[in-house]
Amino acid sequence: MQKIISYPISFIAILLFLLTLVVFHPIQWICFNVFGYQAHKKSVDYLNFFLLRIGHVMFNIFKIEGRENIPTGVPIIFVANHQGMYDIIGMIWFLRKFHPKFVSKVELGKGIPSVSYNLRHGGSVLIDRKDPKQAIPVIKGMSEYIEKNKRSAVIFPEGTRSKTGKPKEFAQSGLKILCKYAPSAYVVPVSINNSWKFFRFGFFPYGLGNNISFTIHQPLAVKDYPFDEIMEKTENAIVQGIKL
């Protein structure tokens, strides 16, 4: 029954989603090219604010817990499980104070209004998953960027989203590079729940009435732990916070 009801609502949501992306694309361009980084960031923040509101059209609820755990005035490496597109939308809006930048696949860097533009110009990096060697200097550059500017990187070590919510194996390489070249950073584990249910029926129609949550766990100072321990503690915190 939910799937049947979801068809007309999903159609409206897609139209609103596409309209929002198209409207904000020139807004981003103007902000970036005329007013600079801060204005561009604001435009991206509010783009994602409106995308969250479109999620409410489908009766989704979004909440974040533990934001008070995040240290300020230092570089941050957010590490999260990956379940769907609302992972990114939610993190950009809820964590906007920390200027989150993403490690994303190169395919997203073109062809998507607003999204591709922000990935290319907003401080995020694009990696070719078919060429692991290419990713090393790109992620190293992001590490140095957040170290210098006291901003944050977001990495999903599973690589691709989980279609059932069950976490996949975590890869170490991306996080290891970030930690190595951002030595004053704090690693902050984040557990995301129920975002996968948005695509429970595939890419159309959308799942309705999901309680999508972001749980921020205790941060780990990179300088205080060997990398293997950071990896183990981070993965354990994220996995234990996932509710299946």
Side-chain angles (χ1 to χ4, degrees):
M1 178 61 72
Q2 183 191 128
K3 187 174 183 179
I4 295 172
I5 296 172
S6 180
Y7 275 101
I9 298 174
S10 297
F11 181 73
I12 294 169
I14 286 175
L15 290 179
L16 292 172
F17 202 92
L18 291 174
L19 178 62
T20 302
L21 294 181
V22 169
V23 167
F24 269 89
H25 191 90
I27 292 173
Q28 278 195 68
W29 188 94
I30 293 168
C31 288
F32 180 79
N33 289 284
V34 178
F35 300 106
Y37 172 82
Q38 292 294 342
H40 177 241
K41 181 191 175 300
K42 284 287 185 185
S43 72
V44 173
D45 290 346
Y46 283 101
L47 162 65
N48 286 276
F49 169 81
F50 284 110
L51 294 179
L52 278 181
R53 294 299 171 263
I54 294 170
H56 293 320
V57 171
M58 294 168 287
F59 310 108
N60 294 315
I61 297 171
F62 302 91
K63 68 175 182 178
I64 185 166
E65 300 175 334
R67 233 177 337 196
E68 68 279 2
N69 293 330
I70 306 172
T72 58
V74 294
I76 301 292
I77 304 170
F78 291 108
V79 185
N81 59 307
H82 190 22
Q83 297 186 349
M85 69 176 182
Y86 268 102
D87 303 347
I88 298 167
I89 294 168
M91 294 186 81
I92 291 176
W93 176 250
F94 290 127
L95 302 175
R96 61 193 181 278
K97 174 181 176 182
F98 302 95
H99 298 245
K101 314 301 177 188
F102 291 81
V103 178
S104 183
K105 58 184 180 181
V106 70
E107 292 85 353
L108 297 179
K110 57 183 179 180
I112 308 173
S114 286
V115 174
S116 297
Y117 189 88
N118 179 47
L119 287 174
R120 294 197 312 271
H121 300 283
S124 295
V125 296
L126 299 167
I127 61 172
D128 185 351
R129 291 183 296 183
K130 298 176 183 177
D131 183 8
K133 292 182 179 179
Q134 174 265 350
I136 295 172
V138 171
I139 298 175
K140 176 178 179 285
M142 170 179 265
S143 308
E144 294 167 343
Y145 171 85
I146 66 168
E147 178 76 14
K148 178 182 177 180
N149 296 286
K150 303 296 186 287
R151 292 174 181 161
S152 68
V154 180
I155 189 167
F156 300 110
E158 292 166 290
T160 58
R161 69 183 182 90
S162 169
K163 296 180 180 179
T164 63
K166 184 178 180 180
K168 299 180 179 182
E169 183 179 356
F170 282 29
Q172 298 186 12
S173 55
L175 180 57
K176 191 171 187 177
I177 297 169
L178 286 169
C179 290
K180 180 177 180 179
Y181 294 103
S184 68
Y186 282 72
V187 173
V188 179
V190 182
S191 296
I192 301 173
N193 279 292
N194 298 321
S195 176
W196 70 271
K197 294 180 180 178
F198 185 75
F199 292 116
R200 71 179 73 180
F201 304 126
F203 282 99
F204 190 85
Y206 299 140
L208 303 178
N210 306 304
N211 294 314
I212 300 173
S213 66
F214 301 80
T215 302
I216 310 296
H217 301 288
Q218 288 297 324
L220 302 165
V222 169
K223 60 181 173 53
D224 290 346
Y225 302 92
F227 176 74
D228 288 347
E229 190 172 351
I230 289 176
M231 190 71 215
E232 181 181 3
K233 287 178 178 291
T234 299
E235 185 170 1
N236 287 342
I238 294 170
V239 171
Q240 289 173 13
I242 297 171
K243 302 170 185 176
L244 298 176

